[in-house]
Amino acid sequence: MKRVVVALLTSASLMAGITAVSGQSRTAPAKGPALIVTPAETLEAQGLSVIIDQNKFSPIFFDEKNAGIQLVLHGNRIATDGAVRLDRTPEQWAPVPAFISRTRGTEPNQIVVRSDYKEVDLAYSVKVTAEAGGFRIAVDLDRPLPAALAGKAGFNLDFLPTAYFGKSYLMDAAPGLFPRHPTGPMAKDGSGDPLPMATGGKSVTLAPEDPLTRVSITSDAGTLSLYDARNRAQNGWFVVRSEIAAGAKENAVVWHVRPNVIKNWVREPVVSFNQAGYTPGRSKVALIELDPNFTAPTEAELVKLGPDGSKQSVFRAKTKPRGRWTRYAYAAFDFSSVREPGVYAISYAGQTTNPFRIAADAYGRIWQTSLDTFIAEQMDHVGIREQYRVWSAPSHLDDARQAPPNITHFDGYKMGPNLDSPFKAGEHIPGLAVGGFQDAGDYDIQTPENASVVRDLVWARELFGLDWDETSVDEAARAVEIRKPDGVEDAVQQIRHGTLQLLAQYKVFGHAIVGIVDPALRQYAHLGDAGSQTDNLVYNPKLKATERKGDGSGAQDDRWAFTTNFPANNLAVAGALAGASRALRESDPAMAAESLAAAKALWTKEQAGVKDGGDGRDDSSSRRSPEMANVVATVELLITSKGDKVYADRLRTLMPVIQQHFEWVGSAAVRAIPLMDPAYRAQLLPLVQALKTKVDQDMTKNPFGVPISDGSWAGSNQVVSFGTTMYLMHKAFPELIGTEHTLAALDYVLGRHPANNLSLVSTVGTASKLIGYGHNRADYSFIPGGMVPGVLIVKPDFPEAKPDWPFLWFENEYTVSTTSAYILAARAAMATAAETP
């Protein structure tokens, strides 16, 4: 990967014998850090953070590689999941301990974590204590291991593979190399278990040649083993492990962990900016992320690149402090006064960034790849080709079987006691193998997300235009080809493709369903061509498992349809279908009429007060609540009907919902203004004023001018939705809302964000995210135009956006509705920038 002044430093130069680490630190390694407990109950030293269960294992996805004891060494989170585990190389859904408490210990600079596995009667404490050169980990069991756990339970600490690829290790004095690709060895007993790369030692040293990533571990109780968990699953890490001996209780495992910390190490500044560049008339502010220990220059420089490669200084200015956020300090470099078109870069602290443009057409090509390539690649039930490349053969032509009642699926789907379906559990449901989009890096159809894609594309066409044709779509032949124009707008074809699935659900069930997903975990973990995930033959229970006959087979690989009837889903689909009817009027009037009829029927049914149809997921506190979905659906039907009194009157009665949830439904509410009376706008005015006050307050919480998620999933979708909402507020209430919020949202997702300065939209901008969590993630590759979630705040205060490890879904997973939301926000930002050319 090209080095672009990002936060995660490479070690190639160090391996070549060069020990320079930053502009300020070129000294030899120290004997060890002096760790101290912080108010957040981490252990900290300059260059090292030991995060101790501030991040929990997930109750749904279990092992997300962000839990237990974690090490941030020289600005890189290199180790995670330090905990007692019941597997040598746990997979994602392997059992995880439940966190109970974290307290200060009796010794100085000591933290004690209580955890348990209730199902197997295992409770324990882990004491993490600072000591000379590093820290000590000690595991105390409440009682010795149950007999069933002997030889299974142990203490694991996982190390990031990309931090160690091509480097060496020492198990005691025995050397080895970390492989780039997993190569075994595997157990020969049929268990599928990896055998250790090295075992039996009392000490292990990782990367002895690299001062940036060298870590040594010594065991007092028992020996150490080193595993490559990628032998079991591609998302596995390198695992250092000590098994817990039968009969052990206090000090069942004792490790001394010695991370090498370079004395006076400081992290290089990260200069972040919009990688697509800037239009001449808009504001242009780069943000500089600074290690508080870095002696930061107070001036930055803009240079213009000449045809001969020369760099001409065109602007110098003092940086302006933007305060402290998370663990870093920030400064702003404002070069808005520079308007001349050209290719530029920013020089700061002895470094020069990658180039970017100032040009009137800087944003002319920021959304098209998302539409013609990424969303096309996510299409279900068709084959997708791009010149020589085949993204997928026709997929899931055996959809779908009825999911059984009273289950919770490993991907979070639930089915209550009522199927809300005319089909019996396990029965084939005809008519669903058409249209729709695979949600993300996995291959399920999530109905609300499909509805969002349709609505986003409808809005983008209506508000801004999406005049673009690079992809041919032949639904009858189930054939899609990228870079082959067919005379029809790509957006119209994608709206139609999503609508096919939404209508299919309505025709079969009379309501929207939750979604369609793989029934088995091994099948769900499939990586690669969607067309090979199932055999595309309808399950026939009369056939043997490997038998095929006609269009049927005995393989139970057909996806399950989760069919619970939720009002919120019905209303989301009603809104999407109403919008689709507008988009399809010219190209497919029959489908447009069918969509509108279904939208009206679904909407009318829910106005009659149909109750929650299932297991409590459809509640009024959710962003997918029926109340909020009703506002959006009503607005869509109001627009489609050009102001029909039925929908206008209903929207007025929904004003209390709009008032309560304006932050979420405000963008739809203001779209209705031209079709409503002046009193309606007057009622929205105080809501916009209150939103402006809240936004102004929220924007003081971080230096980036956008809402940054602090949850367990990074928040680029939240940012682009904010950008679109503020654009619509600006157009409806220009006297209150300016353009800065929409442009700040675009700046954020295209590079001006924490941790590094890569565009979060693959291939958009000079430097972008080129290793993502998509269908091709096993190849450490990307899907052009997809937007990743981006920056996660690893609690308590570490912003992370790993550029080189694809398998952190909470940072790197593309989703189809997030990318459609980006298309809409990008077009809004383009319109905003055009206001000040």
Side-chain angles (χ1 to χ4, degrees), residues 248-312:
K249 187 181 175 189
E250 287 84 11
N251 292 326
V253 172
V254 177
W255 285 3
H256 303 276
V257 184
R258 299 289 182 266
N260 180 73
V261 181
I262 296 171
K263 185 178 181 181
N264 298 325
W265 177 87
V266 292
R267 179 176 178 263
E268 292 183 349
V270 176
V271 180
S272 64
F273 53 92
N274 189 318
Q275 290 282 353
Y278 301 87
T279 53
R282 64 152 296 189
S283 63
K284 309 172 189 71
V285 180
L287 288 176
I288 305 169
E289 187 174 75
L290 296 162
D291 185 327
N293 294 306
F294 182 78
T295 304
T298 59
E299 189 175 77
E301 179 184 28
L302 188 72
V303 296
K304 188 175 184 181
L305 278 62
D308 59 354
S310 60
K311 298 174 182 177
Q312 176 190 358

Side-chain angles (χ1 to χ4, degrees), residues 212-491:
L212 284 173
T213 59
R214 182 165 66 244
V215 177
S216 296
I217 299 173
T218 302
S219 173
D220 286 353
T223 60
L224 295 164
S225 296
L226 177 63
Y227 293 87
D228 186 349
R230 297 174 304 149
N231 285 300
R232 179 180 289 278
Q234 276 86 353
N235 59 6
W237 292 31
F238 296 123
V239 180
V240 177
R241 174 179 171 88
S242 283
E243 287 194 0
I244 297 174
K249 187 181 175 189
E250 287 84 11
N251 292 326
V253 172
V254 177
W255 285 3
H256 303 276
V257 184
R258 299 289 182 266
N260 180 73
V261 181
I262 296 171
K263 185 178 181 181
N264 298 325
W265 177 87
V266 292
R267 179 176 178 263
E268 292 183 349
V270 176
V271 180
S272 64
F273 53 92
N274 189 318
Q275 290 282 353
Y278 301 87
T279 53
R282 64 152 296 189
S283 63
K284 309 172 189 71
V285 180
L287 288 176
I288 305 169
E289 187 174 75
L290 296 162
D291 185 327
N293 294 306
F294 182 78
T295 304
T298 59
E299 189 175 77
E301 179 184 28
L302 188 72
V303 296
K304 188 175 184 181
L305 278 62
D308 59 354
S310 60
K311 298 174 182 177
Q312 176 190 358
S313 177
V314 296
F315 182 76
R316 283 181 175 270
K318 295 285 187 182
T319 60
K320 296 181 179 179
R322 284 285 186 93
R324 181 81 176 259
W325 180 73
T326 63
R327 61 175 53 199
Y328 300 123
Y330 290 85
F333 174 51
D334 188 337
F335 54 101
S336 302
S337 61
V338 178
R339 298 173 57 95
E340 182 179 349
V343 178
Y344 294 86
I346 297 168
S347 291
Y348 180 77
Q351 302 175 1
T352 300
T353 68
N354 63 271
F356 58 88
R357 291 195 304 155
I358 295 177
D361 66 344
Y363 305 139
R365 294 297 299 273
I366 63 173
W367 60 270
Q368 291 90 335
T369 306
S370 300
L371 175 63
D372 66 37
T373 305
F374 178 79
I375 289 183
E377 191 276 339
Q378 297 293 123
M379 295 170 76
D380 210 346
H381 302 119
V382 292
I384 303 106
R385 184 183 183 101
E386 183 179 10
Q387 305 298 359
Y388 294 175
R389 179 176 194 162
V390 175
W391 284 99
S392 174
S395 55
H396 306 119
L397 304 185
D398 43 8
D399 274 347
R401 296 176 69 198
Q402 175 65 56
N406 300 313
I407 63 167
T408 298
H409 187 268
F410 44 79
D411 196 29
Y413 289 81
K414 296 180 182 180
M415 183 68 78
N418 300 318
L419 298 181
D420 297 331
S421 166
F423 299 91
K424 297 178 181 178
E427 187 177 356
H428 175 69
I429 304 169
L432 294 180
V434 60
F437 304 98
Q438 294 157 21
D439 174 57
D442 44 18
Y443 300 84
D444 57 327
I445 289 178
Q446 293 192 19
T447 299
E449 307 309 322
N450 273 240
S452 293
V453 172
V454 170
R455 198 199 73 160
D456 287 341
L457 296 181
V458 168
W459 279 29
R461 282 189 81 242
E462 291 177 342
L463 293 169
F464 314 109
L466 293 176
D467 186 10
W468 191 254
D469 173 24
E470 285 284 310
T471 303
S472 64
V473 178
D474 186 338
E475 294 285 0
R478 299 188 184 272
V480 174
E481 188 154 355
I482 300 167
R483 305 287 162 257
K484 186 179 179 182
D486 60 359
V488 182
E489 279 186 45
D490 292 345

Side-chain angles (χ1 to χ4, degrees), residues 37 41 102-113 125-130 136 138 140 251:
V37 172
E41 297 182 336
R102 182 181 57 251
T103 58
R104 300 289 182 98
T106 57
E107 298 181 33
N109 296 312
Q110 182 182 72
I111 299 294
V112 181
V113 173
S125 299
V126 176
K127 297 176 182 176
V128 184
T129 311
R136 177 181 186 266
D140 293 343
N251 292 326

